[in-house]
Amino acid sequence: MLVKFPIGQLNPLRYAEISLIMPITRYSSKALALNIKQEPPNLEAVPNQGSELITAVSGSETQVFVRKKRVKREADEENSRSDRVRKSKPMPPTHPTRTNVVTLKRESVTLGSFTSSESPENWEKVLEGIRHMRSSEDAPVDSVGCEKAGSSLPPKERRFAVLAGAVQRLLENGLLDPYSIEKADEDTIKNLIYPVGFYTRKASNLKKVANICIEKYNGDIPSSLEQLLELPGIGPKIAHLVLHIAWNDVQGICVDTHVHRICNRLGWVTRAGTNQKTKSPEETREALQKWLPKEEWVSINPLLVGFGQTICAPLRPRCGVCQINSLCPSAFKEAPSPSSKSKKPVREKL
């Protein structure tokens, strides 16, 4: 099939350097598109182009559009697959999540500390009741005790008297300082402190303490808890009491057997992490210091010691006259009842 163009017009196929003899079929647009040079013709310079050239160019543009659409669809499918894979994997925690975890841990520690240091119920009423009972009855601790030792002595000698246990007969025999104790015979000291418990061991320790005070502290006593605990025969109870009285330094509660017993009877102390009673005065001291206000640390020892000497005795507590028996979980549980005493059977004489 031949193509005819009007006379006087430029043949667009020849302008595109395509042979006029080539037959035009249904694949002509594809063939034309492949034979067009890469540099497009200046269409503005060519008026009245033929419809065949427009068809060829339009076919090329259609193929490019289809190819771009297919590439876009493939890209969309790839992004969709990536999204599904990303959603299926566990996402790492973000910064706000880590902050929340830290906050929760901090709250649990705070709650744990509050639970372990929570004060017992009605402890202030109990303490006030004990003060009221102590004010109406004197106890041995009110007149004899470490804190009463050598109250009229100079500060340096009084501190040593407090550390030595302040036996009155030592003071009466002029054993007021470490120098006189070091020179004295151990048997003399032993006889003067008798009948104090373990008097033989205490007499030996007192000689050793006097020698250390002379050599290391210029005749005075140590002023720190660590140094006091290094002395022979000095435990936490005496060390804290000496700091209270001799140096006016409150670092802990002085807990002896009376304080240990009464605090457990009142339910004021328990072993760490349990509801069981404490087994030693040192455990009681640690448990008591967790909740008792520091302004009560000095007065609690003579208060409870006197209460234990007069009413809350070790073997037969006087629960019937105790004014706080309604607040004490151990009231009347340790006092022997008359009905519990069994009478021995009387044997008949044959």
Side-chain angles (χ1 to χ4, degrees), residues 159-171:
R159 286 193 290 268
F160 183 78
V162 171
L163 180 62
V167 178
Q168 187 64 28
R169 286 195 293 173
L170 284 177
L171 302 179

Side-chain angles (χ1 to χ4, degrees), residues 243-264:
L243 282 179
H244 294 174
I245 300 169
W247 297 108
N248 194 26
D249 183 8
V250 180
Q251 293 190 24
I253 301 173
C254 176
V255 177
D256 62 357
T257 56
H258 290 287
V259 179
H260 170 59
R261 177 183 70 256
I262 295 171
C263 286
N264 276 285

Side-chain angles (χ1 to χ4, degrees), residues 336-343:
S337 59
S339 60
S340 63
K341 296 181 180 179
S342 59
K343 297 181 179 180

Side-chain angles (χ1 to χ4, degrees), residues 191-237:
N191 293 331
L192 290 174
I193 67 176
Y194 178 84
V196 175
F198 306 103
Y199 61 94
T200 300
R201 184 189 304 169
K202 289 183 178 179
S204 175
N205 287 336
L206 189 55
K207 291 277 290 184
K208 296 176 182 178
V209 168
N211 183 264
I212 294 174
C213 289
I214 293 172
E215 292 183 354
K216 296 183 66 174
Y217 305 104
N218 194 26
D220 208 339
I221 68 171
S223 59
S224 71
L225 182 65
E226 293 76 13
Q227 292 171 336
L228 286 169
L229 291 173
E230 292 176 355
L231 298 178
I234 303 298
K237 167 201 165 184

Side-chain angles (χ1 to χ4, degrees), residues 24 31 69 99 108 112 133 136 148 153 209 236:
I24 297 177
K69 188 173 182 180
T99 305
S108 62
M133 288 183 283
S136 60
K148 307 296 181 182
L153 297 175
V209 168

Side-chain angles (χ1 to χ4, degrees), residues 81-97:
R81 285 194 298 270
S82 301
D83 290 341
R84 288 195 297 271
V85 172
R86 185 166 57 252
K87 290 180 180 179
S88 62
K89 293 182 179 180
M91 299 296 291
T94 59
H95 182 70
T97 305

Side-chain angles (χ1 to χ4, degrees), residues 115-219:
T115 302
S116 62
S117 61
E118 186 177 0
S119 57
E121 187 178 3
N122 295 323
W123 72 270
E124 293 174 311
K125 293 182 180 180
V126 171
L127 206 57
E128 187 61 31
I130 294 175
R131 285 197 180 99
H132 185 266
M133 288 183 283
R134 289 281 285 109
S135 64
S136 60
E137 185 177 1
D138 290 334
V141 71
D142 298 328
S143 57
V144 179
C146 181
E147 63 276 7
K148 307 296 181 182
S151 56
S152 60
L153 297 175
K156 192 173 182 179
E157 294 178 356
R158 183 174 186 267
R159 286 193 290 268
F160 183 78
V162 171
L163 180 62
V167 178
Q168 187 64 28
R169 286 195 293 173
L170 284 177
L171 302 179
E172 291 174 354
N173 286 267
L175 302 178
L176 308 175
D177 55 67
Y179 298 98
S180 59
I181 291 289
E182 187 187 36
K183 294 177 182 179
D185 185 72
E186 187 172 320
D187 290 334
T188 302
I189 298 174
K190 184 169 55 176
N191 293 331
L192 290 174
I193 67 176
Y194 178 84
V196 175
F198 306 103
Y199 61 94
T200 300
R201 184 189 304 169
K202 289 183 178 179
S204 175
N205 287 336
L206 189 55
K207 291 277 290 184
K208 296 176 182 178
V209 168
N211 183 264
I212 294 174
C213 289
I214 293 172
E215 292 183 354
K216 296 183 66 174
Y217 305 104
N218 194 26

